[in-house]
Amino acid sequence: MAFTDKTAVPYSGDDLVRYIEKALQVKPPASRMVRLVDKVIKRMFEPTLIATDNIPKQPCLFIANHAMYAVDGPIIGLPMLTEQKRFLRPLSDKFLWNSLNESLLLNNGIVIGHPDVCTALMENGSDLLVFPGGAHEATKSAEDKYKLLWKERYGFIKLAAKHGYTIVPTAIVGPEEFYGHLIEGRDLPNTAIGRALKRLGIITENTRSDLFGPVPVGVFGTLIPKPQKCYIQFAPPLDLSKYKGKRLAQKTTVSLREQVAGAINEMIPPLLDRRDEESAKMGRIRRLLTR
């Protein structure tokens, strides 16, 4: 079974137990490479954390909008680690995981988005980062930039409530402009590239459609991301401690999710305005590279 198949399950049974134990042992990365990547990110993208006073001291579940191909993970993760001393554990799509990259992903804080993994990390008092739109939102078309495509996903609300976790709605602006869209994902299967992938057996009838992402175009038509300045803003927290150990009614679950989505949607337009205002003040070379 291919890792892109709809029914693919990377971990189960004893292997999932092993994986969780390994995930719980991970410490915040502090290698020379991490420090180098942090410097590069700050130099290229100037990530700015806004309203950090809204972040409580206790462990939190940060909920954010997602950019193409999850390029926003390190944009928020490294500044939070170096500036706020908060080690976020991003929950990622199951298709990313295999025996070859398991240690690499885990050592950088990333974990698979599995309810048992999330539960173990919450019981351990970890900070978590969730993009509810998942792969579907990370492969969206250009016209859907900065739109929350969460479908009918409520799992993050239910888990946060079950463990009495505090949710921090988080808006991220900037990473959506790292790349242009040469070909939209929905069009890919019918292009020459898509037909070639079908002949190679990479795309089959069992392949997940949400993994058909845009063909990205960065600086001067390359895969180098455009040096767009980034902004990360935190809304006032949503304390779910009163729901700990309780089973939420569907009406309450929907209401809480709407509050989180509403807070994110409210923050994005002013951040886009700020980006546009500050972009007008950029130097000539940087403006050229971000076109």
Side-chain angles (χ1 to χ4, degrees):
M1 180 184 297
F3 68 96
T4 55
D5 285 356
K6 301 172 184 176
T7 57
V9 179
Y11 302 101
S12 61
D14 291 341
D15 196 33
L16 179 60
V17 173
R18 174 200 63 80
Y19 175 90
I20 291 173
E21 291 176 350
K22 187 174 180 179
L24 291 174
Q25 294 172 5
V26 173
K27 303 298 181 184
S31 68
R32 184 176 301 176
M33 179 57 69
V34 170
R35 292 193 293 272
L36 175 61
V37 172
D38 180 55
K39 288 182 179 179
V40 171
I41 285 177
K42 288 180 178 177
R43 178 71 174 178
M44 285 190 67
F45 309 117
E46 303 177 34
T48 302
L49 303 180
I50 302 168
T52 55
D53 55 327
N54 282 328
I55 304 174
K57 293 183 179 180
Q58 68 263 29
C60 296
L61 175 61
F62 295 84
I63 303 295
N65 56 298
H66 216 3
M68 184 167 66
Y69 294 129
V71 292
D72 38 20
I75 295 299
I76 179 176
L78 285 174
M80 284 292 286
L81 179 62
T82 58
E83 298 176 27
Q84 297 294 312
K85 310 305 178 187
R86 304 290 291 254
F87 180 37
L88 305 191
R89 308 298 300 271
L91 272 64
S92 65
D93 195 283
K94 63 183 181 180
F95 90 92
L96 292 174
W97 293 86
N98 57 63
S99 59
L100 298 177
N101 65 11
E102 178 183 285
S103 293
L104 175 64
L105 293 176
L106 282 175
N107 289 336
N108 282 283
I110 304 168
V111 294
I112 192 170
H114 189 287
D116 291 353
V117 176
C118 185
T119 292
L121 289 170
M122 284 184 168
E123 291 176 349
N124 190 54
S126 301
D127 281 321
L128 303 182
L129 171 62
V130 174
F131 301 98
H136 178 63
E137 195 168 294
T139 57
K140 59 190 172 187
S141 58
E143 62 262 29
D144 286 331
K145 282 184 178 180
Y146 296 110
K147 290 183 180 179
L148 302 182
L149 306 180
W150 292 1
K151 295 186 175 181
E152 297 300 316
R153 294 172 178 169
Y154 297 94
F156 68 96
I157 293 291
K158 294 176 181 178
L159 280 168
K162 179 180 178 181
H163 295 279
Y165 246 60
T166 296
I167 290 178
V168 180
T170 306
I172 307 175
V173 161
E176 292 276 30
E177 280 71 49
F178 286 178
Y179 295 101
H181 295 209
L182 180 63
I183 301 173
E184 295 295 0
R186 60 174 178 261
D187 302 323
L188 184 61
N190 296 320
T191 65
I193 297 174
R195 290 190 290 271
L197 293 175
K198 288 178 182 178
R199 286 195 295 272
L200 292 171
I202 297 176
I203 293 180
T204 70
E205 61 182 12
N206 292 320
T207 301
R208 289 170 48 187
S209 60
D210 62 345
L211 298 183
F212 295 156
V215 176
V217 182
V219 174
F220 301 138
T222 69
L223 290 178
I224 299 173
K226 299 176 183 180
Q228 174 64 54
K229 188 172 181 178
C230 297
Y231 308 85
I232 302 100
Q233 183 172 346
F234 306 95
L238 186 61
D239 184 0
L240 303 188
S241 59
K242 66 180 180 180
Y243 299 110
K244 187 173 183 179
K246 299 179 182 179
R247 184 173 181 177
L248 292 183
Q250 181 64 15
K251 183 178 180 180
T252 303
T253 302
V254 172
S255 175
L256 290 172
R257 197 186 91 147
E258 288 178 350
Q259 290 181 56
V260 176
I264 295 173
N265 282 325
E266 187 176 336
M267 289 186 287
I268 289 176
L271 289 178
L272 290 172
D273 291 340
R274 175 173 174 176
R275 178 205 61 186
D276 293 342
E277 291 174 4
E278 296 188 3
S279 294
K281 303 174 184 177
M282 292 190 305
R284 185 179 301 174
I285 294 179
R286 195 174 182 91
R287 285 203 304 270
L288 178 64
L289 293 176
T290 54
R291 286 181 180 174

